[in-house]
Amino acid sequence: WISYLLLRPSNIMLALKQALSLVSTKVAGGAAWTPTDEGKLEAWYENKVGITRNGSTVSEWADQSTNSRDMVQADATEQPAYNTVTGDLTFDSSNGTNLQTTSQMSFSADFTLGIKMFPTSTNGTFVADNTTANELFKISASDAITIKIDGSTSVISLDSGTFGDDYIVLTRASDVFTLYKNGVAQSNPQTLAGTIDIDAIGIRRTDVNGFDGTIQEVQIYSTSNATLTANIN
């Protein structure tokens, strides 16, 4: 009788479902990965976290790394709008909306940038420097990103399709940039050396080429490796 209960199909299915549920909640190696697990995390502007609101706009997006590189905007007319449901920050180039940090970030070697964004124009700077000229990452076409470092420019394009509501990862390893769209590496890496300078989201020096669209999260690292890229993706 006991054996019959244990071997009944309904009991077997229940046991299988319970086992599957336990497995699906685990991550290989233990707890789930977060950017703060990385020793070379330079800045993390996390979705829905560290937001200081000025009514319906954002006056500060606090850095969730240990470096306190908070992105702020004191001018209410240049503060991005905020969606409390999705955590979207909406940038509008006609208003020059942007966020900036006084803590300069500079990277002369390997580098990784992860960003969740939805551009709505093709001339928008999503991450750049507003105090140093010729330092930017910009949507320059519906299928291309322009990178400018120390005045030198490279354009990295999608294999197919266009940018939309995507998560993008850009890595630089030994001066070679690779673009990932929604976890898929694009097949046209570009070589560009120099020191990457970053102190702003949504604008470049001086207050030009503003970003149009929404940004949900930004992660910046002073390293590049396959494990990190896989974890972000």
Side-chain angles (χ1 to χ4, degrees):
W1 177 247
I2 292 174
S3 297
Y4 170 73
L5 285 175
L6 291 173
L7 294 174
R8 283 176 62 189
S10 60
N11 288 340
I12 292 172
M13 289 304 296
L14 177 60
L16 287 172
K17 287 179 180 178
Q18 289 173 333
L20 182 58
S21 177
L22 289 171
V23 170
S24 66
T25 59
K26 293 182 180 292
V27 175
W33 175 88
T34 72
T36 53
D37 293 333
E38 301 294 328
K40 293 190 176 182
L41 173 66
E42 298 296 333
W44 179 20
Y45 307 102
E46 185 179 1
N47 179 242
K48 298 183 182 180
V49 176
I51 298 292
T52 299
R53 292 166 57 193
N54 177 24
S56 61
T57 60
V58 174
S59 60
E60 180 176 333
W61 198 357
D63 178 14
Q64 299 305 302
S65 80
T66 60
N67 297 313
S68 301
R69 293 179 168 127
D70 303 334
M71 290 283 178
V72 300
Q73 181 52 260
D75 186 341
T77 65
E78 296 183 1
Q79 293 171 356
Y82 185 63
N83 186 317
T84 58
V85 176
T86 63
D88 285 343
L89 280 72
T90 298
F91 293 79
D92 182 350
S93 64
S94 66
N95 295 327
T97 49
N98 69 91
L99 296 169
Q100 300 182 49
T101 178
T102 57
S103 180
Q104 179 75 55
M105 289 177 267
S106 296
F107 310 99
S108 58
D110 291 359
F111 167 83
T112 299
L113 168 67
I115 185 167
K116 176 71 167 65
M117 64 179 175
F118 190 168
T120 56
S121 74
T122 55
N123 192 31
T125 305
F126 49 94
V127 171
D129 203 289
N130 203 30
T131 53
T132 303
N134 298 312
E135 302 285 334
L136 61 88
F137 294 85
K138 181 179 75 171
I139 298 291
S140 54
S142 62
D143 62 350
I145 288 174
T146 291
I147 304 167
K148 184 173 281 190
I149 302 170
D150 297 341
S152 297
T153 302
S154 187
V155 178
I156 189 165
S157 302
L158 298 176
D159 291 342
S160 63
T162 59
F163 292 111
D165 188 8
D166 305 312
Y167 63 92
I168 300 299
V169 177
L170 280 160
T171 66
R172 182 172 75 170
S174 300
D175 295 335
V176 176
F177 276 94
T178 302
L179 169 64
Y180 297 78
K181 178 188 176 188
N182 298 329
V184 179
Q186 306 301 292
S187 61
N188 59 336
Q190 300 292 314
T191 300
L192 190 59
T195 299
I196 301 165
D197 292 315
I198 294 172
D199 70 4
I201 296 174
I203 207 78
R204 74 175 181 92
R205 186 184 178 192
T206 304
D207 296 331
V208 295
N209 291 143
F211 183 77
D212 288 300
T214 60
I215 295 177
Q216 283 191 354
E217 181 156 343
V218 181
Q219 301 173 18
I220 300 171
Y221 305 84
S222 57
T223 188
S224 175
N225 59 72
T227 300
L228 173 61
T229 301
N231 281 331
I232 298 172
N233 282 326

